[in-house]
Amino acid sequence: MSSGIQIKPKTAVQKIKTSSPLPRSVEPAIKPQPKPSDKLNPKTIDPFSAYSQPPSTFAAIYAKGGIPCRLVHGSVKHRLQWECLPETAPFDPLLVTLAEGLRETKHPYTFVSKEGFKELLMVEGATEKAIPLLPRLVPVLKAALAHSDDEVFGRGLDALVQLSAVVGPSLNGHLKHLLTNLSRRLMHKKFREEITVALEKLEQYGGKATVAIIKSKIPTYCSIFS
């Protein structure tokens, strides 16, 4: 009888020992959950963690300090703060890089690229500096105008008009490459007025020769000189 009583505690202990490793084997598979403060603390944020793909060219250059301006948050509106005078900044490759940034969809890249492109074209001597870059600028602007995001398209359209105001008729030789995307968006009512105004600006800055170029892609366009 006494020997039978001793066997039961041993069996119970053995069952505990054989079952105890099970929860231990599960513990390593449980990963610690991120704290809410990790997302709120800018020091711990990885600016590219949300990207499923590697960061864009513009985002990578901006992160490395390759864009000589930064966003300054204001109480009423944002502005850019340049690390150097814009007129001393190298147009090549900065203007092209800013144009590439027009396709960004995240803050602050959207503001920096749009405002930086505009302000750089406002400096003295911008015409002479921008014209040699047209063969590289046009494909980049074309990509922005072909983008599925409406805001990206709007920034691309604004940039095209700004560039036309600076380089004038020099843009005419490249204009046909940009008009196809404008023609497609023109079929949507929400863009019709905006694009029509942009086309009129392109004609105004490009001269009467621009009319034939526009009509070759958009036959319904009415010249501002007619």
Side-chain angles (χ1 to χ4, degrees), residues 13-25:
V13 171
Q14 288 174 353
K15 289 182 179 180
I16 293 172
K17 288 182 178 180
T18 55
S19 60
S20 60
L22 293 177
R24 293 178 184 176
S25 62

Side-chain angles (χ1 to χ4, degrees), residues 65-128:
I67 309 296
C69 56
R70 286 293 181 270
L71 171 65
V72 176
H73 292 273
S75 56
V76 179
K77 64 178 182 178
H78 303 326
R79 65 180 180 85
L80 284 185
Q81 179 175 332
W82 290 82
E83 298 172 1
C84 61
L85 294 176
E87 51 266 28
T88 64
F91 265 56
D92 186 4
L94 183 56
L95 190 64
V96 179
T97 303
L98 290 169
E100 290 176 344
L102 296 172
R103 285 177 288 167
E104 296 291 336
T105 57
K106 295 184 180 296
H107 187 77
Y109 311 134
T110 52
F111 181 85
V112 172
S113 59
K114 177 182 178 179
E115 192 66 20
F117 188 86
K118 181 179 74 173
E119 292 187 12
L120 200 59
L121 286 177
M122 293 172 62
V123 305
E124 185 177 356
T127 301
E128 292 76 14

Side-chain angles (χ1 to χ4, degrees), residues 159-172:
L160 174 59
V161 173
Q162 293 159 6
L163 181 64
S164 176
V166 172
V167 302
S170 296
L171 185 61
N172 287 347

Side-chain angles (χ1 to χ4, degrees), residues 131-191:
I131 289 178
L133 299 177
L134 287 177
R136 292 159 59 192
L137 284 170
V138 169
V140 177
L141 291 179
K142 181 180 179 180
L145 294 172
H147 204 283
S148 59
D149 189 288
D150 291 348
E151 293 185 1
V152 173
F153 170 78
R155 289 193 291 272
L157 189 62
D158 290 341
L160 174 59
V161 173
Q162 293 159 6
L163 181 64
S164 176
V166 172
V167 302
S170 296
L171 185 61
N172 287 347
H174 307 272
L175 198 55
K176 62 180 180 179
H177 301 294
L178 302 166
L179 292 174
T180 301
N181 293 317
L182 297 187
S183 177
R184 291 171 182 170
R185 295 270 186 166
L186 197 58
M187 293 186 290
H188 299 276
K189 185 177 180 181
K190 63 183 295 185
F191 300 112

Side-chain angles (χ1 to χ4, degrees), residues 32-41 44:
Q33 297 296 322
K35 300 178 182 179
S37 59
D38 292 342
K39 296 181 179 180
L40 299 175
N41 186 357
T44 61

